[in-house]
PDB file of all heavy atoms in Angstrom:
ATOM      1  N   ILE A   9      -7.596  21.786   4.554  1.00 98.00           N
ATOM      2  CA  ILE A   9      -7.804  23.230   4.390  1.00 98.00           C
ATOM      3  C   ILE A   9      -8.992  23.526   5.460  1.00 98.00           C
ATOM      4  O   ILE A   9     -10.036  23.075   5.268  1.00 98.00           O
ATOM      5  CB  ILE A   9      -8.298  23.623   2.994  1.00 98.00           C
ATOM      6  CG1 ILE A   9      -7.387  23.004   1.917  1.00 98.00           C
ATOM      7  CG2 ILE A   9      -8.181  25.199   2.841  1.00 98.00           C
ATOM      8  CD1 ILE A   9      -7.787  23.397   0.550  1.00 98.00           C
ATOM      9  N   GLY A  10      -8.644  24.503   6.260  1.00 98.00           N
ATOM     10  CA  GLY A  10      -9.673  24.888   7.316  1.00 98.00           C
ATOM     11  C   GLY A  10      -9.456  24.236   8.578  1.00 98.00           C
ATOM     12  O   GLY A  10      -9.552  22.973   8.722  1.00 98.00           O
ATOM     13  N   GLY A  11      -8.979  24.976   9.599  1.00 98.00           N
ATOM     14  CA  GLY A  11      -8.599  24.406  10.933  1.00 98.00           C
ATOM     15  C   GLY A  11      -9.597  24.754  11.981  1.00 98.00           C
ATOM     16  O   GLY A  11      -9.277  25.056  13.131  1.00 98.00           O
ATOM     17  N   GLY A  12     -10.963  24.793  11.533  1.00 97.00           N
ATOM     18  CA  GLY A  12     -11.996  25.039  12.585  1.00 97.00           C
ATOM     19  C   GLY A  12     -12.561  23.902  13.261  1.00 97.00           C
ATOM     20  O   GLY A  12     -11.940  22.921  13.418  1.00 97.00           O
ATOM     21  N   ALA A  13     -13.870  24.040  13.638  1.00 95.00           N
ATOM     22  CA  ALA A  13     -14.507  23.091  14.430  1.00 95.00           C
ATOM     23  C   ALA A  13     -14.351  21.567  14.026  1.00 95.00           C
ATOM     24  O   ALA A  13     -13.951  20.684  14.791  1.00 95.00           O
ATOM     25  CB  ALA A  13     -15.988  23.404  14.686  1.00 95.00           C
ATOM     26  N   ILE A  14     -14.659  21.395  12.777  1.00 96.00           N
ATOM     27  CA  ILE A  14     -14.733  20.005  12.315  1.00 96.00           C
ATOM     28  C   ILE A  14     -13.443  19.334  11.921  1.00 96.00           C
ATOM     29  O   ILE A  14     -13.306  18.167  11.805  1.00 96.00           O
ATOM     30  CB  ILE A  14     -15.658  19.902  11.018  1.00 96.00           C
ATOM     31  CG1 ILE A  14     -16.260  18.421  10.871  1.00 96.00           C
ATOM     32  CG2 ILE A  14     -15.005  20.310   9.728  1.00 96.00           C
ATOM     33  CD1 ILE A  14     -17.054  17.981  12.031  1.00 96.00           C
ATOM     34  N   HIS A  15     -12.381  20.251  11.767  1.00 97.00           N
ATOM     35  CA  HIS A  15     -11.080  19.611  11.264  1.00 97.00           C
ATOM     36  C   HIS A  15     -10.508  18.533  12.196  1.00 97.00           C
ATOM     37  O   HIS A  15      -9.836  17.634  11.785  1.00 97.00           O
ATOM     38  CB  HIS A  15     -10.088  20.695  10.868  1.00 97.00           C
ATOM     39  CG  HIS A  15      -9.189  20.933  12.005  1.00 97.00           C
ATOM     40  ND1 HIS A  15      -9.471  21.656  13.234  1.00 97.00           N
ATOM     41  CD2 HIS A  15      -7.861  20.593  12.208  1.00 97.00           C
ATOM     42  CE1 HIS A  15      -8.398  21.753  13.936  1.00 97.00           C
ATOM     43  NE2 HIS A  15      -7.383  21.089  13.382  1.00 97.00           N
ATOM     44  N   VAL A  34      -3.875  24.177   6.184  1.00 98.00           N
ATOM     45  CA  VAL A  34      -4.154  25.476   5.623  1.00 98.00           C
ATOM     46  C   VAL A  34      -5.123  26.291   6.407  1.00 98.00           C
ATOM     47  O   VAL A  34      -6.248  25.747   6.639  1.00 98.00           O
ATOM     48  CB  VAL A  34      -4.537  25.335   4.209  1.00 98.00           C
ATOM     49  CG1 VAL A  34      -4.617  26.757   3.510  1.00 98.00           C
ATOM     50  CG2 VAL A  34      -3.598  24.485   3.381  1.00 98.00           C
ATOM     51  N   ASP A  35      -4.934  27.554   6.755  1.00 98.00           N
ATOM     52  CA  ASP A  35      -5.920  28.418   7.229  1.00 98.00           C
ATOM     53  C   ASP A  35      -5.638  29.818   7.005  1.00 98.00           C
ATOM     54  O   ASP A  35      -4.485  30.206   7.135  1.00 98.00           O
ATOM     55  CB  ASP A  35      -6.130  28.172   8.831  1.00 98.00           C
ATOM     56  CG  ASP A  35      -7.535  28.508   9.315  1.00 98.00           C
ATOM     57  OD1 ASP A  35      -7.915  29.719   9.229  1.00 98.00           O
ATOM     58  OD2 ASP A  35      -8.214  27.650   9.647  1.00 98.00           O
ATOM     59  N   ILE A  36      -6.644  30.577   6.678  1.00 98.00           N
ATOM     60  CA  ILE A  36      -6.386  32.011   6.449  1.00 98.00           C
ATOM     61  C   ILE A  36      -5.982  32.742   7.721  1.00 98.00           C
ATOM     62  O   ILE A  36      -5.437  33.834   7.642  1.00 98.00           O
ATOM     63  CB  ILE A  36      -7.530  32.749   5.781  1.00 98.00           C
ATOM     64  CG1 ILE A  36      -8.900  32.283   6.300  1.00 98.00           C
ATOM     65  CG2 ILE A  36      -7.597  32.741   4.250  1.00 98.00           C
ATOM     66  CD1 ILE A  36     -10.035  33.257   5.982  1.00 98.00           C
ATOM     67  N   ASP A  37      -6.398  32.193   8.821  1.00 98.00           N
ATOM     68  CA  ASP A  37      -6.035  32.692  10.117  1.00 98.00           C
ATOM     69  C   ASP A  37      -4.584  32.230  10.372  1.00 98.00           C
ATOM     70  O   ASP A  37      -4.423  31.036  10.907  1.00 98.00           O
ATOM     71  CB  ASP A  37      -7.033  32.272  11.188  1.00 98.00           C
ATOM     72  CG  ASP A  37      -6.747  32.804  12.533  1.00 98.00           C
ATOM     73  OD1 ASP A  37      -5.588  33.145  12.878  1.00 98.00           O
ATOM     74  OD2 ASP A  37      -7.751  32.907  13.319  1.00 98.00           O
ATOM     75  N   LYS A  40      -3.819  30.880  14.156  1.00 98.00           N
ATOM     76  CA  LYS A  40      -4.420  29.677  14.441  1.00 98.00           C
ATOM     77  C   LYS A  40      -3.708  28.558  13.608  1.00 98.00           C
ATOM     78  O   LYS A  40      -3.372  27.470  14.118  1.00 98.00           O
ATOM     79  CB  LYS A  40      -5.899  29.674  13.968  1.00 98.00           C
ATOM     80  CG  LYS A  40      -6.649  28.482  14.287  1.00 98.00           C
ATOM     81  CD  LYS A  40      -7.943  28.352  13.467  1.00 98.00           C
ATOM     82  CE  LYS A  40      -9.198  29.048  14.012  1.00 98.00           C
ATOM     83  NZ  LYS A  40     -10.372  28.740  13.243  1.00 98.00           N
ATOM     84  N   GLN A  54      -0.954  29.633   4.466  1.00 98.00           N
ATOM     85  CA  GLN A  54      -2.046  30.570   4.684  1.00 98.00           C
ATOM     86  C   GLN A  54      -2.976  30.557   3.359  1.00 98.00           C
ATOM     87  O   GLN A  54      -4.131  30.900   3.466  1.00 98.00           O
ATOM     88  CB  GLN A  54      -1.531  31.863   4.986  1.00 98.00           C
ATOM     89  CG  GLN A  54      -2.579  32.814   5.683  1.00 98.00           C
ATOM     90  CD  GLN A  54      -1.966  33.874   6.497  1.00 98.00           C
ATOM     91  OE1 GLN A  54      -0.688  34.068   6.516  1.00 98.00           O
ATOM     92  NE2 GLN A  54      -2.842  34.567   7.234  1.00 98.00           N
ATOM     93  N   TYR A  56      -4.282  28.468   0.178  1.00 98.00           N
ATOM     94  CA  TYR A  56      -4.420  26.994  -0.133  1.00 98.00           C
ATOM     95  C   TYR A  56      -3.871  26.771  -1.564  1.00 98.00           C
ATOM     96  O   TYR A  56      -3.523  25.756  -1.892  1.00 98.00           O
ATOM     97  CB  TYR A  56      -5.911  26.562  -0.230  1.00 98.00           C
ATOM     98  CG  TYR A  56      -6.798  27.183  -1.322  1.00 98.00           C
ATOM     99  CD1 TYR A  56      -7.029  26.504  -2.495  1.00 98.00           C
ATOM    100  CD2 TYR A  56      -7.330  28.529  -1.227  1.00 98.00           C
ATOM    101  CE1 TYR A  56      -7.790  26.966  -3.460  1.00 98.00           C
ATOM    102  CE2 TYR A  56      -8.139  28.948  -2.254  1.00 98.00           C
ATOM    103  CZ  TYR A  56      -8.451  28.226  -3.391  1.00 98.00           C
ATOM    104  OH  TYR A  56      -9.202  28.761  -4.311  1.00 98.00           O
ATOM    105  N   ILE A  70     -11.292  19.288   2.506  1.00 98.00           N
ATOM    106  CA  ILE A  70     -11.826  20.699   2.583  1.00 98.00           C
ATOM    107  C   ILE A  70     -12.765  20.911   3.745  1.00 98.00           C
ATOM    108  O   ILE A  70     -13.845  20.138   3.749  1.00 98.00           O
ATOM    109  CB  ILE A  70     -12.475  21.025   1.207  1.00 98.00           C
ATOM    110  CG1 ILE A  70     -11.407  20.995   0.067  1.00 98.00           C
ATOM    111  CG2 ILE A  70     -13.046  22.466   1.293  1.00 98.00           C
ATOM    112  CD1 ILE A  70     -11.993  21.096  -1.276  1.00 98.00           C
ATOM    113  N   CYS A  71     -12.373  21.667   4.672  1.00 98.00           N
ATOM    114  CA  CYS A  71     -13.170  21.838   5.914  1.00 98.00           C
ATOM    115  C   CYS A  71     -13.414  23.373   6.141  1.00 98.00           C
ATOM    116  O   CYS A  71     -13.177  23.845   7.228  1.00 98.00           O
ATOM    117  CB  CYS A  71     -12.396  21.275   7.173  1.00 98.00           C
ATOM    118  SG  CYS A  71     -12.084  19.485   6.989  1.00 98.00           S
ATOM    119  N   THR A  72     -13.779  24.059   5.129  1.00 98.00           N
ATOM    120  CA  THR A  72     -13.912  25.484   5.062  1.00 98.00           C
ATOM    121  C   THR A  72     -15.334  25.845   5.050  1.00 98.00           C
ATOM    122  O   THR A  72     -16.305  25.055   4.803  1.00 98.00           O
ATOM    123  CB  THR A  72     -13.172  26.033   3.916  1.00 98.00           C
ATOM    124  OG1 THR A  72     -13.607  25.427   2.747  1.00 98.00           O
ATOM    125  CG2 THR A  72     -11.639  25.887   4.094  1.00 98.00           C
ATOM    126  N   PRO A  73     -15.648  27.246   5.130  1.00 98.00           N
ATOM    127  CA  PRO A  73     -17.083  27.738   4.897  1.00 98.00           C
ATOM    128  C   PRO A  73     -17.527  27.287   3.557  1.00 98.00           C
ATOM    129  O   PRO A  73     -16.742  27.030   2.563  1.00 98.00           O
ATOM    130  CB  PRO A  73     -16.845  29.188   4.955  1.00 98.00           C
ATOM    131  CG  PRO A  73     -15.719  29.452   5.871  1.00 98.00           C
ATOM    132  CD  PRO A  73     -14.797  28.308   5.548  1.00 98.00           C
ATOM    133  N   HIS A  74     -18.907  27.124   3.421  1.00 98.00           N
ATOM    134  CA  HIS A  74     -19.483  26.537   2.233  1.00 98.00           C
ATOM    135  C   HIS A  74     -19.087  27.327   0.960  1.00 98.00           C
ATOM    136  O   HIS A  74     -18.996  26.561  -0.142  1.00 98.00           O
ATOM    137  CB  HIS A  74     -20.964  26.539   2.300  1.00 98.00           C
ATOM    138  CG  HIS A  74     -21.407  25.669   3.579  1.00 98.00           C
ATOM    139  ND1 HIS A  74     -22.692  25.631   4.073  1.00 98.00           N
ATOM    140  CD2 HIS A  74     -20.722  24.783   4.380  1.00 98.00           C
ATOM    141  CE1 HIS A  74     -22.818  24.794   5.141  1.00 98.00           C
ATOM    142  NE2 HIS A  74     -21.482  24.337   5.322  1.00 98.00           N
ATOM    143  N   TRP A  76     -16.469  28.490  -0.038  1.00 98.00           N
ATOM    144  CA  TRP A  76     -15.157  28.015  -0.557  1.00 98.00           C
ATOM    145  C   TRP A  76     -15.060  26.648  -1.223  1.00 98.00           C
ATOM    146  O   TRP A  76     -14.086  26.218  -1.842  1.00 98.00           O
ATOM    147  CB  TRP A  76     -14.140  28.171   0.586  1.00 98.00           C
ATOM    148  CG  TRP A  76     -13.720  29.702   0.796  1.00 98.00           C
ATOM    149  CD1 TRP A  76     -14.084  30.433   1.840  1.00 98.00           C
ATOM    150  CD2 TRP A  76     -12.818  30.417  -0.064  1.00 98.00           C
ATOM    151  NE1 TRP A  76     -13.511  31.679   1.672  1.00 98.00           N
ATOM    152  CE2 TRP A  76     -12.741  31.671   0.611  1.00 98.00           C
ATOM    153  CE3 TRP A  76     -12.097  30.151  -1.229  1.00 98.00           C
ATOM    154  CZ2 TRP A  76     -11.963  32.702  -0.009  1.00 98.00           C
ATOM    155  CZ3 TRP A  76     -11.315  31.095  -1.712  1.00 98.00           C
ATOM    156  CH2 TRP A  76     -11.240  32.374  -1.092  1.00 98.00           C
ATOM    157  N   HIS A  77     -16.159  25.896  -0.930  1.00 98.00           N
ATOM    158  CA  HIS A  77     -16.108  24.415  -1.397  1.00 98.00           C
ATOM    159  C   HIS A  77     -15.881  24.358  -2.821  1.00 98.00           C
ATOM    160  O   HIS A  77     -14.907  23.628  -3.369  1.00 98.00           O
ATOM    161  CB  HIS A  77     -17.275  23.708  -0.950  1.00 98.00           C
ATOM    162  CG  HIS A  77     -17.333  23.445   0.566  1.00 98.00           C
ATOM    163  ND1 HIS A  77     -18.261  22.596   1.130  1.00 98.00           N
ATOM    164  CD2 HIS A  77     -16.614  24.006   1.555  1.00 98.00           C
ATOM    165  CE1 HIS A  77     -18.148  22.550   2.392  1.00 98.00           C
ATOM    166  NE2 HIS A  77     -17.112  23.397   2.728  1.00 98.00           N
ATOM    167  N   MET A  80     -12.436  25.623  -4.181  1.00 98.00           N
ATOM    168  CA  MET A  80     -11.319  24.733  -3.670  1.00 98.00           C
ATOM    169  C   MET A  80     -11.353  23.373  -4.325  1.00 98.00           C
ATOM    170  O   MET A  80     -10.277  22.766  -4.614  1.00 98.00           O
ATOM    171  CB  MET A  80     -11.360  24.702  -2.139  1.00 98.00           C
ATOM    172  CG  MET A  80     -10.901  25.940  -1.522  1.00 98.00           C
ATOM    173  SD  MET A  80     -11.100  25.926   0.246  1.00 98.00           S
ATOM    174  CE  MET A  80     -10.314  27.463   0.736  1.00 98.00           C
ATOM    175  N   GLU A  94     -15.977  18.301   3.058  1.00 98.00           N
ATOM    176  CA  GLU A  94     -17.135  18.355   4.000  1.00 98.00           C
ATOM    177  C   GLU A  94     -18.417  18.671   3.261  1.00 98.00           C
ATOM    178  O   GLU A  94     -18.407  19.315   2.238  1.00 98.00           O
ATOM    179  CB  GLU A  94     -16.874  19.347   5.152  1.00 98.00           C
ATOM    180  CG  GLU A  94     -16.128  18.799   6.344  1.00 98.00           C
ATOM    181  CD  GLU A  94     -16.995  17.626   7.039  1.00 98.00           C
ATOM    182  OE1 GLU A  94     -18.161  17.521   6.820  1.00 98.00           O
ATOM    183  OE2 GLU A  94     -16.344  16.989   7.777  1.00 98.00           O
ATOM    184  N   LYS A  95     -19.552  18.227   3.849  1.00 98.00           N
ATOM    185  CA  LYS A  95     -20.789  18.581   3.255  1.00 98.00           C
ATOM    186  C   LYS A  95     -21.033  20.101   3.491  1.00 98.00           C
ATOM    187  O   LYS A  95     -20.497  20.610   4.476  1.00 98.00           O
ATOM    188  CB  LYS A  95     -21.991  17.715   3.831  1.00 98.00           C
ATOM    189  CG  LYS A  95     -21.998  17.414   5.280  1.00 98.00           C
ATOM    190  CD  LYS A  95     -21.860  18.500   6.398  1.00 98.00           C
ATOM    191  CE  LYS A  95     -22.801  19.566   6.609  1.00 98.00           C
ATOM    192  NZ  LYS A  95     -22.676  20.385   7.760  1.00 98.00           N
ATOM    193  N   PRO A  96     -21.858  20.749   2.687  1.00 98.00           N
ATOM    194  CA  PRO A  96     -22.374  20.270   1.443  1.00 98.00           C
ATOM    195  C   PRO A  96     -21.244  20.424   0.431  1.00 98.00           C
ATOM    196  O   PRO A  96     -20.390  21.284   0.485  1.00 98.00           O
ATOM    197  CB  PRO A  96     -23.502  21.363   1.123  1.00 98.00           C
ATOM    198  CG  PRO A  96     -22.963  22.546   1.771  1.00 98.00           C
ATOM    199  CD  PRO A  96     -22.302  22.168   3.009  1.00 98.00           C
ATOM    200  N   CYS A 121     -18.398  14.218   2.786  1.00 98.00           N
ATOM    201  CA  CYS A 121     -18.463  13.675   4.111  1.00 98.00           C
ATOM    202  C   CYS A 121     -19.984  13.552   4.593  1.00 98.00           C
ATOM    203  O   CYS A 121     -20.496  14.557   5.279  1.00 98.00           O
ATOM    204  CB  CYS A 121     -17.728  14.494   5.066  1.00 98.00           C
ATOM    205  SG  CYS A 121     -17.403  13.534   6.680  1.00 98.00           S
ATOM    206  N   GLN A 123     -21.031  11.295   6.806  1.00 95.00           N
ATOM    207  CA  GLN A 123     -20.554  10.174   7.770  1.00 95.00           C
ATOM    208  C   GLN A 123     -21.818   9.469   8.466  1.00 95.00           C
ATOM    209  O   GLN A 123     -21.601   8.348   8.913  1.00 95.00           O
ATOM    210  CB  GLN A 123     -19.651  10.655   8.824  1.00 95.00           C
ATOM    211  CG  GLN A 123     -20.279  11.534   9.939  1.00 95.00           C
ATOM    212  CD  GLN A 123     -20.455  12.950   9.589  1.00 95.00           C
ATOM    213  OE1 GLN A 123     -20.364  13.407   8.482  1.00 95.00           O
ATOM    214  NE2 GLN A 123     -20.972  13.750  10.651  1.00 95.00           N
ATOM    215  N   SER A 164     -18.041  32.235  13.932  1.00 94.00           N
ATOM    216  CA  SER A 164     -17.813  31.992  12.550  1.00 94.00           C
ATOM    217  C   SER A 164     -18.894  32.788  11.758  1.00 94.00           C
ATOM    218  O   SER A 164     -19.873  32.186  11.337  1.00 94.00           O
ATOM    219  CB  SER A 164     -17.858  30.601  12.219  1.00 94.00           C
ATOM    220  OG  SER A 164     -16.768  29.833  12.806  1.00 94.00           O
ATOM    221  N   TRP A 166     -19.369  33.503   8.741  1.00 97.00           N
ATOM    222  CA  TRP A 166     -19.926  32.947   7.466  1.00 97.00           C
ATOM    223  C   TRP A 166     -21.202  32.196   7.687  1.00 97.00           C
ATOM    224  O   TRP A 166     -21.955  32.103   6.789  1.00 97.00           O
ATOM    225  CB  TRP A 166     -18.872  32.014   6.786  1.00 97.00           C
ATOM    226  CG  TRP A 166     -18.497  30.754   7.656  1.00 97.00           C
ATOM    227  CD1 TRP A 166     -17.526  30.677   8.617  1.00 97.00           C
ATOM    228  CD2 TRP A 166     -19.178  29.429   7.443  1.00 97.00           C
ATOM    229  NE1 TRP A 166     -17.519  29.296   9.080  1.00 97.00           N
ATOM    230  CE2 TRP A 166     -18.511  28.548   8.397  1.00 97.00           C
ATOM    231  CE3 TRP A 166     -20.127  28.931   6.678  1.00 97.00           C
ATOM    232  CZ2 TRP A 166     -18.826  27.203   8.527  1.00 97.00           C
ATOM    233  CZ3 TRP A 166     -20.473  27.527   6.825  1.00 97.00           C
ATOM    234  CH2 TRP A 166     -19.849  26.842   7.734  1.00 97.00           C
ATOM    235  N   ARG A 167     -21.432  31.735   8.890  1.00 96.00           N
ATOM    236  CA  ARG A 167     -22.695  30.977   9.260  1.00 96.00           C
ATOM    237  C   ARG A 167     -23.749  32.032   9.339  1.00 96.00           C
ATOM    238  O   ARG A 167     -23.657  33.187   9.798  1.00 96.00           O
ATOM    239  CB  ARG A 167     -22.592  30.217  10.629  1.00 96.00           C
ATOM    240  CG  ARG A 167     -21.480  29.260  10.586  1.00 96.00           C
ATOM    241  CD  ARG A 167     -21.343  28.563  12.007  1.00 96.00           C
ATOM    242  NE  ARG A 167     -20.331  27.616  12.052  1.00 96.00           N
ATOM    243  CZ  ARG A 167     -19.662  27.361  13.150  1.00 96.00           C
ATOM    244  NH1 ARG A 167     -19.808  28.152  14.245  1.00 96.00           N
ATOM    245  NH2 ARG A 167     -18.660  26.391  13.190  1.00 96.00           N
ATOM    246  N   ILE A 179     -29.029  23.454   5.039  1.00 98.00           N
ATOM    247  CA  ILE A 179     -27.794  23.082   4.232  1.00 98.00           C
ATOM    248  C   ILE A 179     -26.573  22.725   5.187  1.00 98.00           C
ATOM    249  O   ILE A 179     -25.701  22.154   4.748  1.00 98.00           O
ATOM    250  CB  ILE A 179     -27.429  24.238   3.236  1.00 98.00           C
ATOM    251  CG1 ILE A 179     -26.613  23.705   2.151  1.00 98.00           C
ATOM    252  CG2 ILE A 179     -26.803  25.418   4.024  1.00 98.00           C
ATOM    253  CD1 ILE A 179     -26.394  24.619   0.944  1.00 98.00           C
ATOM    254  N   ASN A 180     -26.741  23.116   6.465  1.00 97.00           N
ATOM    255  CA  ASN A 180     -25.660  22.836   7.370  1.00 97.00           C
ATOM    256  C   ASN A 180     -26.055  21.669   8.289  1.00 97.00           C
ATOM    257  O   ASN A 180     -25.323  20.650   8.312  1.00 97.00           O
ATOM    258  CB  ASN A 180     -25.168  24.063   8.164  1.00 97.00           C
ATOM    259  CG  ASN A 180     -23.841  23.949   8.784  1.00 97.00           C
ATOM    260  OD1 ASN A 180     -23.396  22.849   9.067  1.00 97.00           O
ATOM    261  ND2 ASN A 180     -23.244  25.060   8.935  1.00 97.00           N
ATOM    262  N   HIS A 184     -27.846  16.221   6.655  1.00 97.00           N
ATOM    263  CA  HIS A 184     -27.503  14.821   7.002  1.00 97.00           C
ATOM    264  C   HIS A 184     -28.792  13.976   7.097  1.00 97.00           C
ATOM    265  O   HIS A 184     -28.933  12.871   6.628  1.00 97.00           O
ATOM    266  CB  HIS A 184     -26.793  14.683   8.316  1.00 97.00           C
ATOM    267  CG  HIS A 184     -25.345  15.143   8.255  1.00 97.00           C
ATOM    268  ND1 HIS A 184     -24.462  14.455   7.521  1.00 97.00           N
ATOM    269  CD2 HIS A 184     -24.672  16.075   8.872  1.00 97.00           C
ATOM    270  CE1 HIS A 184     -23.246  15.031   7.786  1.00 97.00           C
ATOM    271  NE2 HIS A 184     -23.325  16.105   8.572  1.00 97.00           N
ATOM    272  N   TRP A 287     -22.985  14.986  15.627  1.00 57.00           N
ATOM    273  CA  TRP A 287     -22.341  15.054  14.319  1.00 57.00           C
ATOM    274  C   TRP A 287     -22.340  13.489  13.760  1.00 57.00           C
ATOM    275  O   TRP A 287     -21.957  13.327  12.603  1.00 57.00           O
ATOM    276  CB  TRP A 287     -20.943  15.489  14.368  1.00 57.00           C
ATOM    277  CG  TRP A 287     -20.873  16.949  14.521  1.00 57.00           C
ATOM    278  CD1 TRP A 287     -21.828  17.809  14.333  1.00 57.00           C
ATOM    279  CD2 TRP A 287     -19.692  17.761  14.836  1.00 57.00           C
ATOM    280  NE1 TRP A 287     -21.364  19.147  14.474  1.00 57.00           N
ATOM    281  CE2 TRP A 287     -20.069  19.098  14.854  1.00 57.00           C
ATOM    282  CE3 TRP A 287     -18.365  17.353  15.204  1.00 57.00           C
ATOM    283  CZ2 TRP A 287     -19.084  20.126  15.188  1.00 57.00           C
ATOM    284  CZ3 TRP A 287     -17.464  18.411  15.500  1.00 57.00           C
ATOM    285  CH2 TRP A 287     -17.843  19.760  15.463  1.00 57.00           C
ATOM    286  N   HIS A 291     -16.947   9.791  11.086  1.00 92.00           N
ATOM    287  CA  HIS A 291     -15.829  10.402  10.298  1.00 92.00           C
ATOM    288  C   HIS A 291     -14.783   9.375  10.010  1.00 92.00           C
ATOM    289  O   HIS A 291     -14.261   9.395   8.914  1.00 92.00           O
ATOM    290  CB  HIS A 291     -15.259  11.671  11.051  1.00 92.00           C
ATOM    291  CG  HIS A 291     -15.979  12.901  10.600  1.00 92.00           C
ATOM    292  ND1 HIS A 291     -17.142  13.368  11.236  1.00 92.00           N
ATOM    293  CD2 HIS A 291     -15.679  13.844   9.659  1.00 92.00           C
ATOM    294  CE1 HIS A 291     -17.478  14.564  10.557  1.00 92.00           C
ATOM    295  NE2 HIS A 291     -16.626  14.793   9.731  1.00 92.00           N
TER     296      HIS A 291
HETATM  297  N1  NAD B   1     -19.868  16.319   8.761  1.00 60.36           N
HETATM  298  C1  NAD B   1     -20.395  17.097   9.855  1.00 60.36           C
HETATM  299  O1  NAD B   1     -21.070  16.482  10.643  1.00 60.36           O
HETATM  300  C2  NAD B   1     -19.996  18.490  10.032  1.00 60.36           C
HETATM  301  C3  NAD B   1     -19.973  19.116  11.323  1.00 60.36           C
HETATM  302  C4  NAD B   1     -19.668  20.508  11.414  1.00 60.36           C
HETATM  303  C5  NAD B   1     -19.251  21.113  10.293  1.00 60.36           C
HETATM  304  N2  NAD B   1     -19.205  20.436   9.042  1.00 60.36           N
HETATM  305  C6  NAD B   1     -18.758  21.130   7.855  1.00 60.36           C
HETATM  306  O2  NAD B   1     -17.329  21.557   7.913  1.00 60.36           O
HETATM  307  C7  NAD B   1     -17.132  22.707   7.261  1.00 60.36           C
HETATM  308  C8  NAD B   1     -16.460  23.698   8.186  1.00 60.36           C
HETATM  309  O3  NAD B   1     -17.364  23.911   9.339  1.00 60.36           O
HETATM  310  P1  NAD B   1     -16.697  24.386  10.706  1.00 60.36           P
HETATM  311  O4  NAD B   1     -17.938  24.379  11.592  1.00 60.36           O
HETATM  312  O5  NAD B   1     -15.514  23.600  11.026  1.00 60.36           O
HETATM  313  O6  NAD B   1     -16.383  25.918  10.417  1.00 60.36           O
HETATM  314  P2  NAD B   1     -15.362  26.882  11.283  1.00 60.36           P
HETATM  315  O7  NAD B   1     -15.856  28.294  10.978  1.00 60.36           O
HETATM  316  O8  NAD B   1     -15.247  26.348  12.644  1.00 60.36           O
HETATM  317  O9  NAD B   1     -13.919  26.617  10.635  1.00 60.36           O
HETATM  318  C9  NAD B   1     -13.632  27.074   9.284  1.00 60.36           C
HETATM  319  C10 NAD B   1     -12.213  27.361   9.217  1.00 60.36           C
HETATM  320  O10 NAD B   1     -11.869  27.589   7.910  1.00 60.36           O
HETATM  321  C11 NAD B   1     -10.967  28.704   7.796  1.00 60.36           C
HETATM  322  N3  NAD B   1     -11.025  29.384   6.518  1.00 60.36           N
HETATM  323  C12 NAD B   1     -12.056  30.119   6.041  1.00 60.36           C
HETATM  324  N4  NAD B   1     -11.795  30.520   4.822  1.00 60.36           N
HETATM  325  C13 NAD B   1     -10.629  29.942   4.479  1.00 60.36           C
HETATM  326  C14 NAD B   1      -9.779  29.924   3.263  1.00 60.36           C
HETATM  327  N5  NAD B   1     -10.257  30.659   2.209  1.00 60.36           N
HETATM  328  N6  NAD B   1      -8.682  29.231   3.194  1.00 60.36           N
HETATM  329  C15 NAD B   1      -8.255  28.616   4.393  1.00 60.36           C
HETATM  330  N7  NAD B   1      -8.992  28.564   5.519  1.00 60.36           N
HETATM  331  C16 NAD B   1     -10.130  29.250   5.527  1.00 60.36           C
HETATM  332  C17 NAD B   1     -11.360  29.582   8.945  1.00 60.36           C
HETATM  333  O11 NAD B   1     -10.304  30.476   9.410  1.00 60.36           O
HETATM  334  C18 NAD B   1     -11.662  28.530  10.118  1.00 60.36           C
HETATM  335  O12 NAD B   1     -10.581  28.109  10.749  1.00 60.36           O
HETATM  336  C19 NAD B   1     -18.429  23.142   6.748  1.00 60.36           C
HETATM  337  O13 NAD B   1     -18.614  22.724   5.411  1.00 60.36           O
HETATM  338  C20 NAD B   1     -19.452  22.524   7.617  1.00 60.36           C
HETATM  339  O14 NAD B   1     -20.754  22.327   7.000  1.00 60.36           O
HETATM  340  C21 NAD B   1     -19.531  19.277   8.871  1.00 60.36           C
END
Side-chain angles (χ1 to χ4, degrees):
I9 316 179
I14 201 63
H15 95 283
V34 184
D35 204 294
I36 40 163
D37 180 336
K40 182 203 273 187
Q54 196 156 10
Y56 74 97
I70 299 174
C71 301
T72 54
H74 299 170
W76 280 102
H77 290 191
M80 286 174 173
E94 270 297 345
K95 40 51 60 171
C121 194
Q123 78 279 1
S164 292
W166 64 273
R167 297 175 182 147
I179 201 164
N180 198 331
H184 286 294
W287 284 345
H291 268 87

